[in-house]
Amino acid sequence: MKANENRSVLRPGDWITYADEDHQVVALSGTSVRLRSEDGAESAVLASYLMASPGFSVTGTEPLPALEPFGLLATLPDSVRMAAIKWEQHVVEVDTGLPPNAAPGTNPRPEYDPASRSLLQRAEAKATELRVSLRTVQGKRSRYAQQGLWGLVDQRMVRLSGVTGRADARLVAAIQEALEGETHSSTGTRSRLIRRVIKMVEATHGEGVVSLPSKNTFYKLIGALSTGRHTFGSSVTRRQMANRPQGPFTPTFAARPGEQVQIDSTPLDVMVVLDSGLTARADLTIAVDVATRTICAAALRPVGTKAVDASLLLARMLVPEPMRPGWSQSLRMAASRMPHRRLLEVDARMAQAAAKPVIVPDGVVIDGGKVFISDTFIRSCSRLGISVQQARPRTPTDKAIVEATFSAINTLFCQHLAGYTGPNVSRRGYRVEEQAAWTVPELQDLLDEWLVVGWQMRPHDALRDPFRPKRAISPNDMYASLVAASGYLPLVLRGEDYLELLPVAWRAINDYGIRIGYRTYDSPDLGPWRREHSGNTAKRGLWEVHFDPYDLSHVFVRTQQGWIAVPWVHLPLVTAPFADFTWQQARRLAAETGLDNTHEAAVARVLDGLLTRAEHGPDRRTAKAVGRTRAAASGLPPGTTTKADPAAEPARFAAADPPKTEVAFEVFDAHAEAERWL
């Protein structure tokens, strides 16, 4: 046993191999080892670093025994494991004279007594007892000393075989090349692949040179080599798998709100009704905060996101989400668990804000689309101190969180909408385009409400409390926790800054007001500026007018004295029927006495009502009321138009009054405006 002790300890005077050189241990001091090399140079090394260094060994001793692979031992068949345990008993008896787990006071058998028999004699006695050779016993002893019980296992039972078996290497290489060629091709059958492989082998090595297996063996060989490639499955999945990075995937991590925000656009799986009456899929652009999974802003547009939408998304991200008419009081920020009072001290607008945090990003991650790399978007981010990081081409994993959020929106929100198309053609319903009921502004309003009640207050599987990892928390709760931990609150965008990010149109201020896209805007505040020169000679005296394409009820005019908010002249006429509906909704919510706004059941009822309303489509009775109101005001049947009297004061309103077939707030030409921005 003394030899074993010498083998497992390090003492002064021992020679070791360290850093490809021989050293002698001079002294041991605590956790340090003082070494002297062959040329006499001395050095001190930490013992933990010395023993963990590559190539470290003690000269003249056997290597330390390796621990047994307990996991592999548990997977062995019982017969193989029991045979190894029996050999362990024999080997231990040869080495010590007694089998393992022998009772105290047990005397060794005479032929294995270490007091009277040498180790060689005991090994010969064991070989005679088991009727095996002495070499077999000595080999078992050596493997047991190095590997433990695993060294006594019959290695033929644990030998790993290749997935291709005895197949010709040239045939395997041809199959692998053919599988690579299927990545960007349309999905075919295995018989097509077999035909291509045979042609490749014959063209490379000649006909009849490489032996081809049977059809069944060919199928098994292709199945083994195509595992995980989706060669005969979905072509989209196959391309995604091939586009994955070769290196290890590192999840995106952010420790504070706004540290990283990912922005992207994708077509939504919902058909919407366009201005022309046709139906098409809507484009959705969102910004997702990595730390809290908050959807900071979301914008819908009919076809193709433009640069104007990216800048508007940035503007909406940096201001509080206001409460809308008809929203439940349980959606207020004051009713949530976010630090409302603390936020209210920073910005008074939080008093009427919905329960969604305002997150000012430190940096944003975008793809290479011209929408996001436009000069307008880049300059806006630069002015606000936001760094822009561009993802690598065709590498969606660089912004995997926003990509996964799109899938969640389709599952949690879009499938409940009228006109839902499904994720692909194979799951699309019958004549879905006829079921489309929502316009883009209506769907935008539904989406904004769902983001507050269906996303921000819903537990997110990626957000976990480190002290209670089994419990998922919501984006709002995560924001409240991280704000308390980071110890600061970001300053949100001011109203003037928000207006600066809106699109610009240059217009004259006439007697009837300002006209943009066949809509007329007028206000008494424009009185001093009517028919006046703006002073901007580069624009021929026109005035700078900012507008929000998603809220065309007002425009904003820059004057020497500041901004003027100018409403649409027909705004009271259009909103009258909706005002009655909103009033009835407010009365119903006020009648719910004793309702706890912070209770999850209240939020759940609001979410259920939202999804039910989205599934059945909008209430078209209000649209009919609009038509009846217009007809009563003109004294004509609905749909009839007449020429207005230019001398009459209401002439400027009648001139901009759209026909009955037009939809309100839908005249803005975002395509033409965006092209000027690029």
Side-chain angles (χ1 to χ4, degrees):
M1 299 299 294
K2 187 175 181 180
N4 291 339
E5 293 178 359
N6 291 336
R7 186 176 59 183
S8 60
V9 297
L10 186 66
R11 292 187 173 89
D14 291 344
W15 283 88
I16 65 171
T17 301
Y18 166 64
D20 297 331
E21 294 182 4
D22 292 333
H23 297 76
Q24 187 179 25
V25 179
V26 178
L28 301 175
S29 177
T31 58
S32 300
V33 181
R34 181 168 292 278
L35 304 176
R36 178 187 291 133
S37 62
E38 291 182 329
D39 56 4
E42 294 188 0
S43 60
V45 186
L46 289 175
S48 57
Y49 177 81
L50 175 66
M51 297 180 183
S53 61
F56 168 77
S57 63
V58 181
T59 306
T61 61
E62 296 182 5
L64 294 175
L67 293 178
E68 301 170 350
F70 300 103
L72 295 178
L73 288 173
T75 61
L76 294 175
D78 293 339
S79 58
V80 177
R81 187 168 58 256
M82 292 306 298
I85 291 176
K86 288 183 179 180
W87 263 111
E88 181 184 29
Q89 294 175 349
H90 295 309
V91 170
V92 173
E93 187 176 18
V94 171
D95 289 342
T96 64
L98 293 174
N101 300 324
T106 302
N107 295 322
R109 291 189 289 174
E111 60 271 26
Y112 300 108
D113 188 358
S116 58
R117 307 293 297 270
S118 64
L119 182 60
L120 180 59
Q121 291 174 335
R122 298 197 299 270
E124 291 174 346
K126 182 60 68 175
T128 303
E129 177 185 351
L130 300 178
R131 296 181 181 180
V132 295
S133 64
L134 176 62
R135 183 177 180 180
T136 300
V137 176
Q138 296 289 49
K140 294 288 186 181
R141 288 185 59 252
S142 176
R143 289 194 295 273
Y144 182 74
Q146 296 177 3
Q147 304 178 27
L149 184 60
W150 183 255
L152 303 178
V153 174
D154 188 352
Q155 297 300 312
R156 294 173 299 179
M157 305 302 297
V158 297
R159 187 177 301 163
L160 299 178
S161 59
V163 295
T164 58
R166 302 179 184 178
D168 194 307
R170 294 170 293 183
L171 177 64
V172 173
I175 294 176
Q176 291 175 339
E177 183 179 353
L179 290 174
E180 292 291 340
E182 293 289 323
T183 300
H184 299 286
S185 301
S186 300
T187 303
T189 61
R190 289 171 175 81
S191 59
R192 184 185 76 172
L193 184 68
I194 291 176
R195 178 178 175 275
R196 292 181 177 180
V197 170
I198 293 176
K199 293 292 184 181
M200 292 171 59
V201 170
E202 292 178 351
T204 305
H205 305 285
E207 186 174 354
V209 176
V210 178
S211 59
L212 301 176
S214 63
K215 184 177 181 180
N216 291 338
T217 304
F218 228 136
Y219 271 69
K220 292 180 180 179
L221 191 58
I222 291 175
L225 293 175
S226 63
T227 301
R229 292 174 176 262
H230 293 269
T231 304
F232 308 103
S234 170
S235 60
V236 176
T237 305
R238 181 168 62 252
R239 290 192 295 269
Q240 290 176 348
M241 296 290 292
N243 195 35
R244 287 185 175 181
Q246 297 298 325
F249 179 77
T250 303
T252 304
F253 176 78
R256 64 182 186 276
E259 183 175 348
Q260 182 182 129
V261 174
Q262 299 180 2
I263 304 178
D264 199 9
S265 300
T266 190
L268 206 60
D269 295 339
V270 177
M271 302 293 288
V272 296
V273 181
L274 303 179
D275 301 349
S276 60
L278 301 177
T279 58
R281 293 176 65 182
D283 269 12
L284 174 64
T285 304
I286 61 174
V288 181
D289 177 54
V290 173
T292 65
R293 296 303 196 272
T294 294
I295 299 181
C296 304
L300 285 169
R301 67 163 292 106
V303 180
T305 304
K306 298 293 184 179
V308 61
D309 298 286
S311 295
L312 284 175
L313 186 78
L314 184 62
R316 303 181 95 191
M317 186 192 317
L318 302 178
V319 295
E321 181 72 32
M323 288 288 295
R324 313 285 176 83
W327 285 15
S328 172
Q329 296 301 309
S330 60
L331 305 186
R332 286 185 174 274
M333 183 178 291
S336 67
R337 286 191 287 265
M338 288 194 297
H340 175 254
R341 293 183 179 178
R342 192 176 178 189
L343 293 169
L344 189 60
E345 295 176 356
V346 178
D347 191 349
R349 291 174 294 177
M350 295 295 182
Q352 303 297 327
K356 191 176 78 170
V358 179
I359 297 178
V360 179
D362 295 339
V364 296
V365 179
I366 60 175
D367 56 19
K370 67 176 183 179
V371 173
F372 303 113
I373 62 175
S374 64
D375 183 68
T376 301
F377 183 78
I378 298 298
R379 288 180 63 86
S380 299
C381 291
S382 176
R383 184 62 179 173
L384 294 172
I386 302 173
S387 62
V388 179
Q389 178 182 355
Q390 187 173 343
R392 292 169 292 182
R394 296 189 304 162
T395 310
T397 51
D398 285 350
K399 45 184 177 61
I401 292 176
V402 68
E403 299 285 353
T405 304
F406 283 128
S407 177
I409 292 175
N410 283 327
T411 303
L412 300 175
F413 177 65
C414 293
Q415 68 170 341
H416 300 282
L417 294 171
Y420 174 63
T421 63
N424 50 59
V425 178
S426 63
R427 299 189 179 185
R428 182 168 299 181
Y430 179 67
R431 307 187 80 168
V432 179
E433 62 278 359
E434 297 181 359
Q435 304 173 13
W438 298 104
T439 63
V440 174
E442 291 170 341
L443 187 57
Q444 179 72 57
D445 188 65
L446 281 176
L447 178 62
D448 292 339
E449 184 178 358
W450 177 81
L451 289 178
V452 177
V453 64
W455 182 266
Q456 291 298 127
M457 300 184 182
R458 181 180 182 272
H460 197 291
D461 188 65
L463 302 177
R464 298 283 175 172
D465 187 342
F467 297 100
R468 291 177 294 177
K470 292 185 178 180
R471 180 184 177 186
I473 59 179
S474 67
N476 281 353
D477 292 340
M478 192 66 179
Y479 174 80
S481 300
L482 293 182
V483 165
S486 59
Y488 75 98
L489 285 175
L491 298 178
V492 298
L493 198 66
R494 299 177 302 170
E496 293 79 3
D497 296 329
Y498 174 79
L499 297 180
E500 294 292 350
L501 292 175
L502 296 179
V504 180
W506 295 90
R507 294 292 186 272
I509 302 179
N510 298 308
D511 291 335
Y512 54 81
I514 301 171
R515 184 169 296 171
I516 297 179
Y518 303 101
R519 294 180 310 276
T520 303
Y521 298 86
D522 199 1
S523 170
D525 296 334
L526 293 179
W529 317 108
R530 299 183 192 275
R531 302 183 307 275
E532 294 292 332
H533 194 284
S534 66
N536 192 329
T537 56
K539 293 297 182 179
R540 305 186 306 278
L542 299 179
W543 295 83
E544 181 182 356
V545 182
H546 289 234
F547 60 95
D548 188 346
Y550 302 106
D551 183 10
L552 299 177
S553 60
H554 291 76
V555 296
F556 307 91
V557 183
R558 188 200 299 272
T559 66
Q560 288 83 351
Q561 280 71 33
W563 291 95
I564 298 177
V566 185
W568 184 33
V569 295
H570 292 290
L571 185 61
L573 181 65
V574 173
T575 58
F578 291 95
D580 180 68
F581 170 77
T582 304
W583 174 251
Q584 296 297 332
Q585 176 77 357
R587 289 186 61 188
R588 184 183 66 82
L589 294 175
E592 297 178 353
T593 58
L595 179 63
D596 184 6
N597 291 334
T598 63
H599 198 273
E600 294 181 1
V603 177
R605 283 196 292 270
V606 175
L607 178 59
D608 180 69
L610 168 66
L611 297 180
T612 302
R613 189 167 75 254
E615 185 175 3
H616 290 86
D619 184 7
R620 294 305 180 190
R621 291 178 298 178
T622 57
K624 295 179 181 179
V626 173
R628 289 196 299 268
T629 304
R630 290 176 178 172
S634 61
L636 298 174
T640 306
T641 60
T642 183
K643 183 179 292 185
D645 184 5
E649 174 61 23
R652 65 174 186 267
F653 305 126
D657 196 357
K660 181 174 181 281
T661 56
E662 291 185 3
V663 182
F665 302 98
E666 297 177 352
V667 196
F668 168 68
D669 188 2
H671 295 276
E673 178 67 21
E675 295 300 330
R676 300 198 338 243
W677 281 46
L678 291 176

